[in-house]
């Protein structure tokens, strides 16, 4: 099998560095991040320069966008361990250059022994931390099967070649960035609380440039390289996961692992003016909510009002309030609950939802119940995303997660990776908020084998039938509103993609009834106008972290990583 050998791989990125690295950052690390790239043929945007470099090398070696995305996901499982993963799950949205679309859902599933009250005490109250930290918080991982199935259907290069760079990065180690070192230091107590044995992440005082080697992870990735899905869901790795479960009161079994299958689903699609939006259906709420939001604002003259005009923000916030109320009530895993997608996206329904919108006054969330025709939310900011376009115009938007930073913090001894804490994305108790402040109901109640509701919004947008944008983000419940706003920044307000991504954002999720705004992101005068309409505001440091590609009018590609993550990186050629 052809392989990207370590020496070639490292010489490629050291060459890139030696050409461009005047900064201290680059000299210490051997890599640096580029936030805004132009390419005449192909583009990769990911949360880490080493992951982007892997994707670019695969594209240059003749791989298509699906190949490059798979390689990027495996690489970020090594170099972005707080969210990149093989112990978690995600969603991939694909648009081929002939217009064919597909999505693969490799979201984690509740284990067979899971039940709806598993995070409640005898009095029926939530036991704090049980769904977020430790073994019981983990869902059955989906990433490996999802990537393998995506490759079987659309891959061009051999799978073994796509995983090889990740194996080498794990085996040889890589220098951690300042951001990663800070995260590793922040979570030391959590690592020690749920891991009895030493592991490569447990170390005092991580510093930028320290080398993180993951020998066991390299062995696990090699097993997957040699045996495909059986290399993870059966044999030594499956045994190691189950042993880990037994040691910590977890419930994932050999049978759960052997039976896990990712699921192909038709994309959720819809129109906004001249644009066709292609996004992820449930169990993600992302695609449905994004389309609802766009339809709710479509008939208002936001282009004339402009960016950060109080009328624009008020309208968008009121749309967000209504879409998130619907999310809380109606969205969950379609394999278990009849999600009324067509009704939620119908023109009559959306118009009805906005019928009580007043341009002069904020609504109260207590008055905005979920839309009535039949039959709430959970999620952390530590997910991650990659956007890829290849030289033939095939595009992939992939969002993947362990949920919180380093998932449930349990590192599988003998197999070398963190497990997710995705079970917290279920509604553990109706009406009680999860770590994102989201509430849920029956649609998202825990059942064995069910997938938990997500906000991940990997999205591809066409304009007049041509590829226009590939976009997505980490950021928990704020992902949907970030994708909504960055797209409109370009499509309605005419911003260049870099300005659109970096512009300050706002977020309303129905409950709690307040607008989240980014620090120093909204001028005082504008805040006063929003307050006069009845809005309350709450400041946070930052929200979702967008990674996007814009196909420009001349056919070239602009890739942009977000200023909000110092390691975000765009690379094209
Ligand atoms: N765990 C974050 C999400 O799925 O939305």
């Amino acid at each position: 099998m052809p392989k990207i050998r370590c020496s070639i791989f490292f010489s490629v990125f050291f060459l890139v560095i030696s050409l461009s690295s005047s900064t201290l950052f680059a000299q210490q690390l051997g890599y640096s991040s580029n936030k805004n790239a132009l390419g005449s043929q192909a583009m990769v945007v990911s949360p880490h320069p080493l992951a982007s470099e892997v994707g670019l090398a695969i594209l240059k070696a003749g791989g298509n966008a699906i190949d490059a995305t798979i390689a990027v996901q495996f690489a970020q499982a090594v170099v972005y361990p707080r969210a990149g993963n093989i112990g978690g799950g995600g969603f991939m949205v694909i648009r081929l250059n002939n217009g064919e679309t597909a999505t693969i859902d490799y979201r984690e599933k509740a284990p067979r022994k899971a039940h709806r009250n598993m995070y409640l005490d005898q009095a029926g109250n939530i036991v704090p931390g049980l769904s977020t930290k430790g073994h019981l918080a983990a869902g059955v991982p989906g990433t490996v099967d999802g990537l393998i199935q995506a490759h079987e259907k659309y891959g061009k290069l051999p799978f073994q070649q796509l995983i090889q760079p990740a194996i080498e990065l794990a085996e040889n180690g890589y220098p951690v960035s300042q951001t990663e070192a800070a995260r590793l230091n922040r979570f030391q107590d959590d690592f020690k609380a749920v891991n009895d044995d030493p592991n490569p992440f447990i170390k005092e005082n991580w510093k930028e440039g320290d080398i993180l080697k993951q020998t066991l992870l390299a062995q696990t990735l090699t097993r997957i390289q040699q045996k495909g899905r059986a290399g993870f869901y059966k044999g030594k790795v499956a045994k190691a996961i189950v042993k880990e479960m037994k040691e910590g009161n977890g419930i994932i079994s050999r049978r759960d692992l052997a039976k896990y299958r990712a699921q192909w689903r038709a994309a959720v699609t819809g129109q906004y003016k001249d644009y066709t939006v292609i996004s992820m259906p449930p169990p993600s709420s992302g695609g449905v909510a994004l389309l609802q939001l766009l339809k709710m604002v479509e008939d208002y003259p936001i282009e004339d009002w402009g960016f950060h005009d109080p009328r624009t923000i008020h309208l968008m916030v009121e749309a967000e309030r209504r879409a998130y109320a619907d999310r809380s009530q109606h969205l969950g895993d379609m394999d278990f609950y009849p999600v009324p997608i067509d009704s939620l996206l119908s023109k009559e329904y959306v118009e009805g939802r906005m019928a009580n919108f007043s341009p002069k006054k904020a609504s109260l969330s207590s008055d905005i119940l979920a839309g009535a025709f039949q039959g709430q939310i959970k999620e952390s900011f530590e997910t991650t995303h990659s956007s890829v376009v290849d030289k033939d115009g095939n595009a992939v938007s992939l969002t993947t997660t362990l949920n919180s930073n380093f998932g449930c913090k349990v590192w599988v001894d003998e197999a070398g990776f963190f497990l997710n804490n995705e079970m917290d994305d279920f509604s553990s108790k109706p009406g009680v908020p999860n770590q994102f402040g989201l509430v849920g109901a029956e649609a998202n109640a825990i059942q064995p084998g069910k997938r938990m509701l997500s906000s991940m919004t990997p999205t591809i947008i066409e304009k007049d039938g041509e590829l226009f944008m590939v976009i997505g983000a980490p950021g928990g419940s704020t992902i949907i509103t970030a994708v909504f706003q960055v797209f409109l920044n370009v499509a309605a307000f005419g911003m260049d993609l870099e300005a659109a991504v970096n512009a300050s954002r706002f977020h309303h999720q129905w409950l709690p009834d307040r607008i989240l705004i980014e620090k120093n992101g909204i001028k005082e005068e504008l805040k006063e106008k929003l307050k006069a309409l009845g809005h309350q505001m709450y400041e946070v440091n930052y929200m979702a972290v967008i990674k996007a590609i814009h196909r420009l009018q001349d056919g070239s590609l602009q890739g942009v990583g977000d200023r909000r993550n110092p390691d975000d990186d765009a690379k094209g050629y």
Side-chain angles (χ1 to χ4, degrees):
M1 292 291 175
K3 286 179 178 178
I4 295 185
R5 301 302 325 163
C6 171
S7 53
I8 299 175
F9 173 68
F10 279 96
S11 57
V12 169
F13 87 75
F14 282 121
L15 176 65
V16 170
I17 297 325
S18 62
L19 292 175
S20 65
S21 66
S22 53
T23 65
L24 183 61
F25 178 58
Q27 284 163 7
Q28 281 177 345
L29 294 176
Y31 58 82
S32 63
S33 96
N34 178 28
K35 293 282 182 279
N36 186 6
L38 281 176
S40 57
Q41 301 194 49
M43 184 66 62
V44 181
V45 190
S46 89
H48 198 285
L50 295 178
S52 296
E53 192 60 45
V54 166
L56 195 71
I58 292 293
L59 289 171
K60 287 186 174 169
N64 62 20
I66 293 92
D67 292 328
T69 302
I70 292 167
V72 167
Q73 161 108 27
F74 278 121
Q76 64 190 17
V78 181
V79 300
Y80 200 72
R82 66 183 186 258
N85 66 81
I86 57 172
F91 302 117
M92 189 188 298
V93 175
I94 297 167
R95 180 188 180 273
L96 301 184
N97 58 5
N98 63 7
E100 176 184 332
T101 63
T103 79
I104 186 154
D105 159 8
Y106 57 93
R107 183 74 160 161
E108 301 90 329
K109 285 181 163 198
R112 245 169 17 103
K113 284 196 183 138
H115 57 91
R116 64 189 297 140
N117 295 334
M118 63 189 278
Y119 298 115
L120 306 184
D121 63 19
Q122 287 189 334
N125 297 317
I126 291 199
V127 181
L130 207 55
S131 65
T132 52
K133 215 177 286 178
H135 301 68
L136 198 59
V140 184
T143 297
V144 173
D145 192 54
L147 298 186
I148 287 173
Q149 285 202 44
H151 180 261
E152 281 165 0
K153 192 155 176 187
Y154 291 112
K156 197 166 147 200
L157 296 181
F159 180 76
Q160 290 77 359
Q161 184 174 348
L162 308 181
I163 198 170
Q164 182 63 23
I167 295 173
E168 293 175 8
L169 282 163
E171 182 71 47
N172 299 324
Y174 74 99
V176 301
S177 65
Q178 193 276 330
T179 329
E180 196 65 38
R183 295 287 154 134
L184 289 167
N185 289 332
R186 172 139 53 101
F187 289 100
Q188 285 302 308
D189 288 347
D190 285 344
F191 294 156
K192 287 176 202 156
V194 293
N195 295 287
D196 291 335
D197 298 320
N199 75 47
F201 293 85
I202 298 180
K203 168 172 119 91
E204 293 311 311
N205 196 19
W206 282 93
K207 291 185 299 306
E208 175 181 324
D210 284 356
I211 302 295
L212 175 60
K213 271 194 194 193
Q214 300 173 73
T215 311
L216 276 170
L217 178 58
Q219 288 167 11
T220 295
L221 292 169
T222 304
R223 272 198 180 85
I224 298 167
Q225 184 184 49
Q226 290 166 350
K227 300 186 172 161
R229 72 179 308 283
F232 184 86
Y233 293 97
K234 292 188 171 163
K236 189 165 187 287
V237 176
K239 217 166 139 190
I241 296 172
V242 173
K243 182 166 174 243
E244 189 63 63
M245 288 290 126
K246 289 196 174 130
E247 284 167 10
N249 289 327
I251 54 174
I252 297 174
S253 66
R254 291 286 285 268
R255 185 164 162 202
D256 286 324
L257 292 163
K259 283 182 87 69
Y260 182 89
R261 288 290 181 284
Q263 188 70 40
W264 290 96
R265 301 189 190 275
V268 60
T269 59
Q271 286 300 124
Y272 171 80
K273 301 193 174 172
D274 299 337
Y275 301 90
T276 304
V277 176
I278 302 155
S279 193
M280 196 66 210
S284 185
S285 60
V288 172
L290 174 64
L291 279 162
Q292 280 194 311
L293 289 170
L294 290 169
K295 284 172 189 290
M296 284 179 192
V297 303
E298 189 171 16
D299 293 337
Y300 294 84
I302 56 171
E303 292 84 353
D304 300 336
W305 293 345
F307 172 77
H308 276 199
D309 181 280
R311 290 166 295 180
T312 310
I313 296 189
H314 175 59
L315 170 72
M316 290 169 75
V317 159
E318 290 300 321
E320 292 174 4
R321 187 196 304 278
R322 287 159 177 79
Y324 277 77
D326 279 355
R327 179 196 194 277
S328 70
Q329 185 71 28
H330 297 305
L331 295 187
D333 182 350
M334 292 187 292
D335 296 342
F336 285 74
Y337 186 87
V339 179
I341 295 184
D342 292 345
S343 305
L344 288 166
L345 296 180
S346 72
K347 194 166 169 45
E348 304 69 51
Y349 178 76
V350 170
E351 279 175 4
R353 292 296 274 150
M354 289 302 276
N356 59 357
F357 164 69
S358 162
K360 298 207 163 66
K361 195 168 179 297
S363 316
L364 291 175
S365 286
S366 50
D367 293 341
I368 302 287
L369 301 179
F373 43 80
Q374 64 165 46
Q376 293 199 356
I377 309 175
K378 294 193 136 225
E379 282 131 308
S380 154
F381 279 31
E382 291 311 329
T383 296
T384 190
H385 180 87
S386 54
S387 292
V388 177
V389 177
D390 68 24
K391 67 177 172 35
D392 298 319
N394 303 302
V396 179
S397 184
L398 175 147
T399 314
T400 183
T401 188
L402 288 168
N403 199 11
S404 302
N405 274 294
F406 308 99
C408 67
K409 320 295 186 277
V410 173
W411 186 84
V412 182
D413 287 333
E414 300 177 23
F417 55 90
F418 285 104
L419 286 168
N420 66 84
N421 62 348
E422 223 69 59
M423 292 296 284
D424 188 63
D425 272 352
F426 278 116
S427 176
S428 296
K429 183 175 177 183
V432 177
N434 73 343
Q435 64 171 324
F436 298 104
L438 294 164
V439 288
E442 186 58 33
N444 191 32
I446 303 172
Q447 281 178 258
K450 187 174 176 181
R451 291 176 158 101
M452 52 299 279
L453 187 59
S454 170
S455 297
M456 295 190 278
T457 314
T459 298
I460 300 175
I461 298 167
E462 294 173 357
K463 185 175 187 194
D464 301 326
E466 299 281 340
L467 179 66
F468 177 74
M469 187 179 280
V470 184
I471 185 166
S477 57
T478 68
I479 296 173
I480 302 165
T481 49
V483 171
F484 171 53
Q485 289 169 41
V486 173
F487 165 62
L488 287 181
N489 286 350
V490 176
F493 307 128
M495 287 186 202
D496 154 80
L497 185 63
E498 187 179 25
V501 168
N502 290 334
S504 150
R505 297 194 274 266
F506 49 88
H507 170 80
H508 199 296
Q509 60 179 46
W510 180 49
L511 294 176
D513 190 350
R514 63 188 185 191
I515 309 176
L516 289 191
I517 55 173
E518 292 178 311
K519 216 173 201 162
N520 304 322
I522 294 204
K523 291 191 188 124
E524 282 309 315
E525 188 192 330
L526 178 53
K527 272 192 212 162
E528 290 310 316
K529 287 187 175 152
L530 291 168
K531 275 187 201 156
L533 288 168
H535 292 291
Q536 292 184 31
M537 273 154 280
Y538 182 83
E539 239 176 37
V540 291
N541 285 333
Y542 69 95
M543 291 186 259
V545 184
I546 290 276
K547 290 151 235 319
I549 300 172
H550 180 198
R551 187 167 169 276
L552 304 173
Q553 272 183 349
D554 65 1
S556 61
L557 300 165
Q558 181 184 12
V560 171
D562 203 313
R563 65 176 168 86
R564 294 165 181 84
N565 171 23
D567 294 342
D568 263 23
D569 181 65
K571 285 188 174 27
Y573 74 92

Short mmCIF file of all heavy atoms in Angstrom, two decimals, residues 107 379 383 401 403 422 425 454-456, ligand 1:
data_model
loop_
_atom_site.label_atom_id
_atom_site.label_comp_id
_atom_site.label_asym_id
_atom_site.label_seq_id
_atom_site.Cartn_x
_atom_site.Cartn_y
_atom_site.Cartn_z
N ARG A 107 -23.13 9.42 15.31
CA ARG A 107 -23.37 9.85 16.69
C ARG A 107 -23.30 8.64 17.63
O ARG A 107 -23.74 7.53 17.27
CB ARG A 107 -24.77 10.47 16.73
CG ARG A 107 -25.19 11.06 18.06
CD ARG A 107 -24.50 12.35 18.32
NE ARG A 107 -25.21 13.15 19.33
CZ ARG A 107 -24.62 14.14 19.99
NH1 ARG A 107 -23.35 14.44 19.78
NH2 ARG A 107 -25.31 14.85 20.85
N GLU A 379 -26.00 19.85 25.89
CA GLU A 379 -24.66 19.80 25.30
C GLU A 379 -23.49 20.49 26.04
O GLU A 379 -23.70 21.08 27.03
CB GLU A 379 -24.63 20.45 23.90
CG GLU A 379 -25.19 19.50 22.97
CD GLU A 379 -26.20 20.12 22.10
OE1 GLU A 379 -27.09 20.72 22.61
OE2 GLU A 379 -25.99 19.97 20.91
N THR A 383 -16.37 20.79 20.98
CA THR A 383 -16.57 19.92 19.83
C THR A 383 -15.52 20.39 18.84
O THR A 383 -14.74 21.27 19.12
CB THR A 383 -18.03 20.15 19.39
OG1 THR A 383 -18.86 19.70 20.44
CG2 THR A 383 -18.41 19.51 18.10
N THR A 401 -17.19 15.23 18.04
CA THR A 401 -17.13 15.68 19.44
C THR A 401 -16.92 14.54 20.44
O THR A 401 -17.28 13.38 20.17
CB THR A 401 -18.44 16.42 19.80
OG1 THR A 401 -18.33 17.02 21.08
CG2 THR A 401 -19.65 15.51 19.78
N ASN A 403 -18.02 15.76 23.37
CA ASN A 403 -18.91 16.61 24.16
C ASN A 403 -18.08 17.60 24.97
O ASN A 403 -17.73 18.64 24.46
CB ASN A 403 -19.89 15.80 25.02
CG ASN A 403 -21.06 16.66 25.45
OD1 ASN A 403 -21.23 17.76 24.94
ND2 ASN A 403 -21.87 16.20 26.36
N GLU A 422 -21.12 11.94 26.01
CA GLU A 422 -22.26 12.38 25.18
C GLU A 422 -23.60 12.06 25.81
O GLU A 422 -24.63 12.63 25.41
CB GLU A 422 -22.16 11.70 23.81
CG GLU A 422 -22.47 12.62 22.66
CD GLU A 422 -21.41 13.67 22.45
OE1 GLU A 422 -20.23 13.31 22.24
OE2 GLU A 422 -21.73 14.85 22.55
N ASP A 425 -26.00 14.79 26.60
CA ASP A 425 -26.81 15.46 25.56
C ASP A 425 -28.25 14.93 25.53
O ASP A 425 -29.10 15.50 24.85
CB ASP A 425 -26.16 15.30 24.18
CG ASP A 425 -25.16 16.41 23.90
OD1 ASP A 425 -25.09 17.36 24.68
OD2 ASP A 425 -24.46 16.33 22.88
N SER A 454 -28.26 16.53 19.24
CA SER A 454 -27.05 17.33 19.09
C SER A 454 -27.39 18.70 18.52
O SER A 454 -28.45 18.89 17.93
CB SER A 454 -26.10 16.59 18.14
OG SER A 454 -25.02 17.41 17.78
N SER A 455 -26.46 19.65 18.67
CA SER A 455 -26.59 20.95 18.00
C SER A 455 -25.59 21.07 16.86
O SER A 455 -25.49 22.16 16.24
CB SER A 455 -26.31 22.09 18.99
OG SER A 455 -27.26 22.09 20.00
N MET A 456 -24.83 20.03 16.59
CA MET A 456 -23.79 20.15 15.56
C MET A 456 -24.46 20.43 14.22
O MET A 456 -25.46 19.82 13.87
CB MET A 456 -22.95 18.89 15.52
CG MET A 456 -22.15 18.70 16.82
SD MET A 456 -20.93 17.40 16.74
CE MET A 456 -21.89 15.94 17.04
N1 LIG B 1 -22.10 17.51 22.29
C1 LIG B 1 -22.37 18.65 21.50
C2 LIG B 1 -23.40 18.44 20.47
O1 LIG B 1 -23.56 17.32 20.03
O2 LIG B 1 -24.07 19.34 20.07
#
